[in-house]
Amino acid sequence: MKHLIDPTDLTHEETNNIIALAEDIIVHREQYTTRMNGKKLATLFYEPSTRTRLSFTSAMMELGGNVLGFDDARSSSVSKGETVEDTVRVVGNFADIIAMRHPIEGAPLIASQVSNVPIINAGDGSHSHPTQTLTDLLTIKRELGHIDNITIGFCGDLRFGRTVHSLIKALSRYSGIKVILIAPETLRLPDYIKQDVCDRLGISYKEVRTLEEAIPCLDILYMTRVQKERFLDEDDYDRVKDSFILDAAKMKLAKPTMKVLHPLPRVNEILTEVDADPRAAYFRQVENGKFVRMALICRLLDWKNDSMHQMPVPHEVFIDDDTLHCRNPKCICNNEDVKSKFYASADNIVRCYYCDTKVR
Ligand code: CP
């Protein structure tokens, strides 16, 4: 059985297969309207969402399937202290596939280890958001005609932005990718992504201070929101919240073919005056999210009993050392009764298996 917890759970071929299926669904929608007849998707959302939850719901409905679940954990037995593992064991009796969003990093991974149905990570804390990544890849493909050989600028919150982390990982499989990082000092891309993904897998990247110096050479500008909810101190948020704002004047510096993506929601980082520019692709990106989730649901259920499509065997070396401790308060191992687990990444840094936080 295949789950989707991290973008790299899919091989490059499987990823491209899902994107190709999404493109076919766009062209031949009428051929897919009964594809999920009799099947049920459970959406377990422990954290707010508009696009992801509703696009999963819409995707399953367009495929002829049904949807159940919760969008507020307080209305479920989670409020009585039920663990993620127990919840998933229970919901697996009622649904054929589960999409889970959780503020605790590693929660969908733990869920996948006990689930008898495919689990889709719909976003875990600041860690990973692989269905947004599939959405972004499909959008790049449809907007530019290709994913290889592009220069992409990531702007805003690159530290907590799980969509950025996941997309960089996924792009590492394509060739000729150049990344430009545009972020305030306190929101720079975590070292583990730079070292484990960019350096190890050969993505060229550079960090710049201003949007103006990056924008002229970009094929894709990926804007992100500074996420207030990820800050422990509100003063820290206030200091960086207005760091980078895309407006019509800055768009004049960009190529006529550049496209602007944003996972949304936005606050003020893209002024509404940009929305009418044909290069603003972020609302088209939302619709792509539905098509790619339709494709993902079909594929994960097609592959459920196919031994060709299993979870990848971890290539990392696991470390057995009782003195190690994950210091991330938002990691599942510090929130539920989960035994800590660590691995040594390619650069010999020891990281938490559930949230990738550097431990030693
Ligand atoms: N892009 C995204 O994840 O949006 P929601 O938080 O609304 O699901």
Side-chain angles (χ1 to χ4, degrees), residues 45 48-53 101 122 129 132 162-163 263-265 293:
F45 276 59
S49 165
T50 298
R51 274 145 293 273
T52 310
R53 189 174 66 80
R101 170 167 290 190
H129 193 353
Q132 182 65 48
R162 58 192 174 197
T163 62
L264 303 180
R293 290 181 176 101

Side-chain angles (χ1 to χ4, degrees), residues 208-228:
V208 300
R209 292 262 165 218
T210 66
L211 199 43
E212 285 86 339
E213 60 189 299
I215 206 165
C217 64
L218 300 179
D219 300 303
I220 296 286
L221 172 58
Y222 195 97
M223 294 294 296
T224 61
R225 174 176 66 98
V226 175
Q227 301 173 89
K228 189 173 184 182

Side-chain angles (χ1 to χ4, degrees), residues 43 45 49-58 70-71 101:
T43 54
F45 276 59
S49 165
T50 298
R51 274 145 293 273
T52 310
R53 189 174 66 80
L54 294 181
S55 66
F56 264 118
T57 303
S58 175
F70 55 78
D71 58 11
R101 170 167 290 190

Side-chain angles (χ1 to χ4, degrees), residues 122-134:
D124 63 328
S126 305
H127 186 227
S128 194
H129 193 353
T131 63
Q132 182 65 48
T133 302
L134 292 171

